[in-house]
Amino acid sequence: MTIADFATSTARVIPYRRDQLRRLIAPRSVAIIGASDRKGSFGNRAMENLQDFDGPVHLVNARATSVAERPCFASVAAIGEAPDCVFIAVPREMVESVVRECAAAGVGGAVIVASGLAETAKPDRIADQQRIVEIARRADMRLVGPNTIGFLNYGVGAALTFSAMPARRALLPHAIGIISQSGSLGFSLAQAAELGVSISHVLTAGNSADVDVADYVAYLAEEPACKAIICVFEGMAHPERMGHALRFAWSVNKPVIMYKMATGNEGARAAMSHTGSLAGSNEAYAAMFARAGVIQVDRFEDLIETATFFAKAPRPTTDGVAVIATSGGATIMAADKAEWHGIPLPQPGTRAADLLAIHVPDFGSPRNPCDVTAQLMNDMVALESCVDALMADAQFGAMVTSHAYAYDSATSRLPVFSRAAASHGKIVCNVWAPAWLGGPGTIETQQDGHLALFNGMDRCFATLAAWQRRERLRQTASDAPPVRLTAAHAAAQVTEILRGITDTALTESQSKRVAALYGIPVVAEAVVGSANEAVVAAGRLGYPVVLKIESPDILHKTEAGVVCLNLPDAQSVRDAAIRLLELANAIVPAPRINGLLVQPMIPKGVEVMVGVRNDPLFGPLVMVGLGGILVELLKDVAIAIAPVSTAEARRMILGLKGATLLTGFRGRAAIDINALAGIVARVSELADDHRAAIAEIDFNPLICDADRIIAVDALIVKIQAG
């Protein structure tokens, strides 16, 4: 048995919910199996870490009657009651028998720290791990690990870990939860508690033999003590489980801040179509995260400050942000980063403007961003008046200030900002400027529920932008499945077409026939067998025309040089036909030639690509971007998991960097975005309906103008049998 076989055999599509994990993660009683007096042993460390646990801690060791001058039981059964959770600190060879004993005793959950099981990729060790999981699941007992560092629940003092950890502190109303597939990275983030960050849980997964990160996300989504979730994520064999968990978190409005590791794209390298090479598993995960409203950060270092912001921030009332600082340089940095991240900095309304004009000296600036100088910052009455007026201004949904120096004199200003934010239901971002990162003001900001600390201006404005995007998604997204645009009989017709084609790749005309059945507009055309027939077809279709070789073996005709554009008359068509056939017949190895494809030459417009790649983990991924030959070079592509609604397709289109070319650039008429979104949705239906048969789809380009959107080239690639 391989690891992949094991993952498939033990897969659960729907994650565990909070009530199913309560005895594991929020136990009322625990036991340490393998408790020991030996300093440094896992059992001894776990004893020390559980000193602040709210319930009883039972010690179990068959070879001792007492440990640390406390009574020790020979077995779990000897305790006389079933602990909610056990920490199993025994060698690998003993784990299965201990799990069997715990299952028989009615234990609710177990943490297995032993390594050397499925992570070794040895078939016998994989089988050992599978038996352990089967024993636990038959007894409705949840497992964390094996090969895990354990977890922390600071709310009840359940430190079921052998790792060093921050001391237990009272939870604040804006506590965050940390989930990590990497135990050491999860516990490293927990040290933010030393700087005042309130942390409710640190949940790590180890081998994820039973409980995994998706289960943890679903658990914390329902956890009242956790206001935002950090997830350090590598990947999983069944990503739809994470999709379920993330959608659940979204449904209860629990922000998830994701750092995705392992971002390689090996899966896309063998693609046959242009668009098929654009999306690997990393892009697929990003599409899944985007649909679920996840805030994805590019750097591990950004997780804590992003999560603490979302744990504290109310829903934004508007996009405008006020900036106030003692430093002109800080206000310039703020203006730069606001522009970069698309955050508007409107000018204050009358009341705030009048107050700023009175109190800001002439060597400062009362305009937003406001350089109020140290003179105003040292006048607490005037400062409070100005800050309150800005926060009261309906143009501003948040405020940014810069903590210039880590001195007590600067720290004393923080309550002014906090009171104003609390009074108006908004948030103030305190951008930390001093190089003394843990200096006075750090803990005060972190512990304040109305102030969010950032160690850089760029991350501050990036987070504000993510906050605003998330709110826009909440206002527009729907949980309802996409409304189907294609007639039901189209799927059956396409199924018959695909069954009748033995080649892996459909020809262009075959691909367009399939597209037309799904209501995707395609250019008129004729397949002919000779130069004379091409002339007749061109006369019927209307000049100028395009001439191409029709072959199942030439997937990219432009690169092969077997396309002629803008042919104006009969003679040019006849000459081009002869030349194309000669070129095609000279290709080595010789391709099969089905004939010549004649199409009317479509006038120039904006070229758009719509395509699909069928990912082995996620299924069909739908892509839209600016088309033509530059699509792979620019990689300005939006990606979503099929099927997509027209509303989601519209967001994909308008989210492209080159979207201004579609909405009217330099006097050009805007294209019909709704019509294009409908085409994207129909392509997604085609891919979703035939996910077992179609590997790739490439409509590149669609030529778009104000009155018409039409596909002039198409390629569909079937999934190869075996």
Side-chain angles (χ1 to χ4, degrees), residues 1-12 16 92 95-96 99-100 112 116-139 141 143 145-146 207-210 238:
M1 176 180 288
T2 67
I3 291 178
D5 293 333
F6 173 75
T8 300
S9 68
T10 59
R12 293 173 292 107
Y16 293 128
R92 171 183 58 80
V95 168
E96 184 176 335
V99 169
R100 196 179 299 277
I112 304 173
L117 287 155
E119 78 276 10
T120 66
K122 295 178 179 179
D124 59 326
R125 304 288 180 85
I126 295 171
D128 291 344
Q129 181 168 304
Q130 184 173 17
R131 284 195 308 275
I132 291 167
V133 173
E134 290 171 348
I135 293 165
R137 288 189 178 168
R138 282 196 298 268
M141 181 174 72
L143 295 181
N207 285 7
S208 301
D210 180 31
H238 298 278

Side-chain angles (χ1 to χ4, degrees), residues 53-254:
F53 178 57
D54 289 346
V57 178
H58 305 289
L59 307 184
V60 178
N61 191 322
R63 294 180 294 181
T65 57
S66 67
V67 172
E69 300 181 350
R70 295 168 54 190
C72 189
F73 297 95
S75 66
V76 172
I79 295 172
E81 62 179 16
D84 274 344
C85 186
V86 299
F87 184 85
I88 300 176
V90 302
R92 171 183 58 80
E93 295 80 4
M94 296 174 61
V95 168
E96 184 176 335
S97 62
V98 170
V99 169
R100 196 179 299 277
E101 177 188 339
C102 291
V107 170
V111 178
I112 304 173
V113 300
S115 57
L117 287 155
E119 78 276 10
T120 66
K122 295 178 179 179
D124 59 326
R125 304 288 180 85
I126 295 171
D128 291 344
Q129 181 168 304
Q130 184 173 17
R131 284 195 308 275
I132 291 167
V133 173
E134 290 171 348
I135 293 165
R137 288 189 178 168
R138 282 196 298 268
D140 198 27
M141 181 174 72
R142 306 282 81 84
L143 295 181
V144 173
N147 189 33
T148 180
I149 200 171
F151 67 82
L152 306 173
N153 179 345
Y154 279 115
V156 297
L160 287 149
T161 179
F162 59 82
S163 173
M165 62 181 198
R168 185 182 182 187
R169 297 165 171 83
L171 295 184
L172 298 176
H174 48 266
I176 62 173
I178 298 169
I179 297 168
S180 180
Q181 283 181 294
S182 164
S184 61
L185 290 182
F187 275 70
S188 72
L189 289 171
Q191 288 196 277
E194 309 293 1
L195 290 176
V197 176
S198 188
I199 295 171
S200 65
H201 299 74
V202 183
L203 306 176
T204 72
N207 285 7
S208 301
D210 180 31
V211 175
D212 63 14
V213 288
D215 299 306
Y216 284 150
V217 169
Y219 178 90
L220 290 184
E222 294 185 282
E223 171 56 63
C226 170
K227 294 301 186 291
I229 302 168
I230 282 174
C231 188
V232 180
F233 183 62
E234 299 169 33
M236 56 200 315
H238 298 278
E240 68 270 27
R241 288 179 32 73
M242 179 60 86
H244 279 289
L246 294 174
R247 287 192 295 275
F248 178 60
W250 174 260
S251 73
V252 297
N253 198 18
K254 185 70 63 80

Side-chain angles (χ1 to χ4, degrees), residues 483-495:
V483 176
R484 187 172 178 86
L485 302 177
T486 310
H489 63 79
Q493 291 177 273
V494 168
T495 296

Side-chain angles (χ1 to χ4, degrees), residues 395-419:
Q395 297 179 94
F396 303 122
M399 175 178 284
V400 173
T401 188
S402 177
H403 199 93
Y405 305 113
Y407 299 134
D408 290 336
S409 58
T411 303
S412 64
R413 302 167 186 154
L414 296 177
V416 171
F417 291 94
S418 179
R419 286 192 294 271

